[in-house]
Amino acid sequence: MAAPLHPRRRRRRLAAAVAAVATLLPVTACGGVVSGDRAGTFTTMGYSMGDTLATARVDVARKVLGTTRLQVNQGAFDEQQFLSAVAAGDPPDVVVMDRSLIGGYAARGAIVPLTTCLKDRRVDVGQYRASAMDEATLDGTVYGLPDSYDNRLLLIDGKVLAEAGDRVSDVDTSDWQGLSRLAKDLVRSKDGKLTRIGFDPKIPEFFPLWVRANGGLLLSRDGRTAHLDDPRTVEALSFAVSLIDAQGGWGRFKALRDTFDQFGAGNQIVRDQIGAYPMEDWYVSVLGDVSPKVDLHTRPFTDRRGRPIDYTSGYSWVIPKGSPHPQKACRFITAMTSPDTWVTAARAKARDIRKDGSPYTGDFTGNKVADRRIHDEVWKPTGNAAFDEAARQLYAAQDHAFSVPANAAGTEFRKAWQSAVNNVLSGEQSPEEALDEAQQRAQSALDRGNTERE
């Protein structure tokens, strides 16, 4: 997935981005829809053209629109604006959104099935990553085509481990007792304040990863039954929170997290403010740009049996109900997610990154054919052992991917488990209490959404 841009790369790419946007219609300040004469204009929502990968893809895909003008309304996806536009019969032509939202919108009829689109364009859905398709498929019907694809792996500060007398191999998520000991060994405090996190479990964001590592699932594979009160889910939350409690508690933990210069040359790994933690793939690219000499090591996240697991998420393209140009919308989203488009854009991005000697660590998309070609045709070893190994780890991780299945509750399901985790972190509830309540809320939302759909 493309990383959020940090300051140096944002400045370097600004001229290219402005030039690309200048070839389109004027854009709005948010991801909404521009009202007015829509007959000759094709509009998007939720897509930002802040880097070379994004602008190059649009340059390729806009060609399938013929003489129709393309208007890219940049900015984050806005749920209320989207639903209001659909209800008013004036939606954008296409939307890119978090895949966890797709099931809920599909159940409400706000987006349309892609069955006819895929058939007419003779699209081989097998080219897309299975875990990404699972998130965009409700009751066997495909509603979205995968765009970005977020992998997760363990990032490790070798200097921190060496100073503590530990080895990189000691960062082992299959051994929960050993991981707890390691976190306590690496953590540092001064004057009552946390100065180094030994191991960050990255909750609530990565809670599904810990549940899967413990042999559980937040949701049944058909997306209809919540498993938030499953003993394996409760145990996973209890353990992840215990890691934080053993390092000073959530208040101190979060206070240090909030000081991290994540996109700068003084980031948390450079400053030895963290020993190890799971993180999304895009951050490897950030580190390669701002701190290429950092003592970075990477390992796969494994379940308690020692098997690699990769919790994935990302965005997908959908066609809203009432799209003014549904056939062109189909051509556009299939072009945006095709291997040729991704490879063309990856070449442009790699050239941009390599100009100042930064390592290009590859791109990871929702299209496995594109990923294979990017690996074979664009990525190449840089000679920087740390980042070359990170790229290899990420390419390998994709073979062990899982995601939270699409479901008719959409946002409500995600809010249920996230709120439960936050309540435990803040000390308001025990894991059992929080997840029991979350189970009731989540299952009610699932049942309601499925009933409305049926």
Side-chain angles (χ1 to χ4, degrees):
M1 174 180 180
L5 291 181
H6 43 87
R8 184 155 69 91
R9 184 157 291 161
R10 186 184 297 114
R11 290 195 298 270
R12 191 172 72 209
R13 297 180 180 175
L14 182 59
V18 170
V21 174
T23 65
L24 311 175
L25 291 182
V27 298
T28 62
C30 64
V33 180
V34 177
S35 60
D37 180 14
R38 295 285 303 282
T41 303
F42 185 95
T43 61
T44 73
M45 182 182 192
Y47 189 77
S48 295
M49 302 214 303
D51 69 356
T52 305
L53 191 72
T55 56
R57 291 174 64 208
V58 168
D59 286 344
V60 174
R62 70 193 302 264
K63 296 175 183 178
V64 305
L65 299 178
T67 59
T68 302
R69 296 173 296 174
L70 172 62
Q71 180 165 305
V72 178
N73 296 316
Q74 297 197 69
F77 172 76
D78 187 305
E79 180 174 14
Q80 187 58 49
Q81 200 168 40
F82 170 68
L83 292 175
S84 296
V86 171
D90 188 30
D93 287 283
V94 294
V95 178
V96 63
M97 64 172 63
D98 189 314
R99 282 194 285 273
S100 66
L101 304 175
I102 290 177
Y105 290 136
R108 298 165 72 173
I111 57 178
V112 302
L114 298 184
T115 309
T116 300
C117 168
L118 297 175
K119 180 179 179 181
D120 290 348
R121 301 295 297 169
R122 297 181 181 179
V123 176
D124 176 14
V125 295
Q127 70 185 296
Y128 298 108
R129 297 269 172 202
S131 63
M133 290 300 291
D134 287 347
E135 289 184 283
T137 303
L138 184 65
D139 294 337
T141 300
V142 176
Y143 286 89
L145 291 184
D147 188 83
S148 62
Y149 192 77
D150 243 346
N151 301 281
R152 289 157 176 86
L153 80 168
L154 293 170
L155 302 186
I156 303 165
D157 185 336
K159 181 181 175 183
V160 168
L161 267 73
E163 288 179 350
D166 294 303
R167 299 167 299 178
V168 171
S169 59
D170 292 330
V171 185
D172 181 2
T173 52
S174 70
D175 179 4
W176 283 12
Q177 287 186 341
L179 195 60
S180 183
R181 287 193 298 270
L182 180 70
K184 296 173 185 176
D185 195 26
L186 300 180
V187 70
R188 295 289 184 271
S189 297
K190 183 178 181 180
D191 299 329
K193 292 184 178 180
L194 200 63
T195 59
R196 178 193 295 162
I197 294 171
F199 183 90
D200 185 353
K202 283 296 293 287
I203 58 172
E205 310 98 306
F206 292 6
F207 183 50
L209 186 60
W210 292 98
V211 175
R212 185 59 172 259
N214 203 33
L217 295 170
L218 290 178
L219 184 65
S220 62
R221 297 186 188 279
D222 63 5
R224 290 177 171 263
T225 306
H227 295 318
L228 302 186
D229 60 351
D230 185 291
R232 291 168 294 186
T233 306
V234 175
E235 184 181 23
L237 180 55
S238 298
F239 172 71
V241 172
S242 76
L243 285 175
I244 293 173
D245 288 343
Q247 299 177 81
W250 180 238
R252 294 179 181 178
F253 207 85
K254 189 174 185 301
L256 178 55
R257 261 190 189 178
D258 291 344
T259 68
F260 288 169
D261 180 23
Q262 184 158 261
F263 296 99
N267 59 71
Q268 64 274 14
I269 297 183
V270 168
R271 296 181 62 189
D272 302 326
Q273 293 174 306
I274 192 165
Y277 65 121
M279 188 59 180
E280 294 101 332
D281 54 37
W282 56 262
Y283 196 59
V284 172
S285 180
V286 171
L287 292 174
D289 191 34
V290 301
S291 50
K293 295 183 179 180
V294 71
D295 189 6
L296 176 70
H297 296 264
T298 49
R299 283 174 61 83
F301 195 103
T302 60
D303 65 15
R304 299 186 74 176
R305 291 183 170 183
R307 299 174 300 190
I309 52 175
D310 177 20
Y311 167 43
T312 63
S313 59
Y315 294 81
S316 279
W317 289 96
V318 301
I319 300 176
K321 178 183 179 182
S323 170
H325 308 97
Q327 292 183 335
K328 289 183 178 180
C330 175
R331 292 200 293 272
F332 184 83
I333 67 174
T334 53
M336 283 291 285
T337 61
S338 75
D340 286 345
T341 301
W342 277 116
V343 172
T344 297
R347 289 187 191 280
K349 176 182 173 181
R351 284 195 300 269
D352 183 37
I353 290 175
R354 289 165 178 159
K355 284 179 182 177
D356 65 358
S358 296
Y360 172 68
T361 55
D363 280 293
F364 308 95
T365 79
N367 189 308
K368 59 187 179 184
V369 176
D371 286 352
R372 184 167 59 248
R373 288 185 54 191
I374 291 171
H375 176 274
D376 294 344
E377 301 172 24
V378 185
W379 178 81
K380 58 184 178 182
T382 65
N384 185 319
F387 291 92
D388 288 346
E389 178 60 22
R392 295 187 183 97
Q393 291 277 3
L394 286 167
Y395 277 112
Q398 292 176 309
D399 294 331
H400 309 286
F402 78 94
S403 60
V404 177
N407 62 86
T411 305
E412 292 180 84
F413 180 78
R414 182 171 63 180
K415 285 181 178 178
W417 64 259
Q418 287 184 339
S419 294
V421 175
N422 284 324
N423 287 344
V424 177
L425 285 171
S426 64
E428 296 178 35
Q429 292 179 301
S430 69
E432 293 83 357
E433 293 170 338
L435 289 171
D436 279 346
E437 288 188 13
Q439 172 69 20
Q440 295 176 28
R441 292 198 303 273
Q443 193 58 55
S444 294
L446 289 167
D447 292 341
R448 184 168 57 252
N450 286 317
T451 297
E452 291 173 354
R453 177 174 168 77
E454 293 168 355

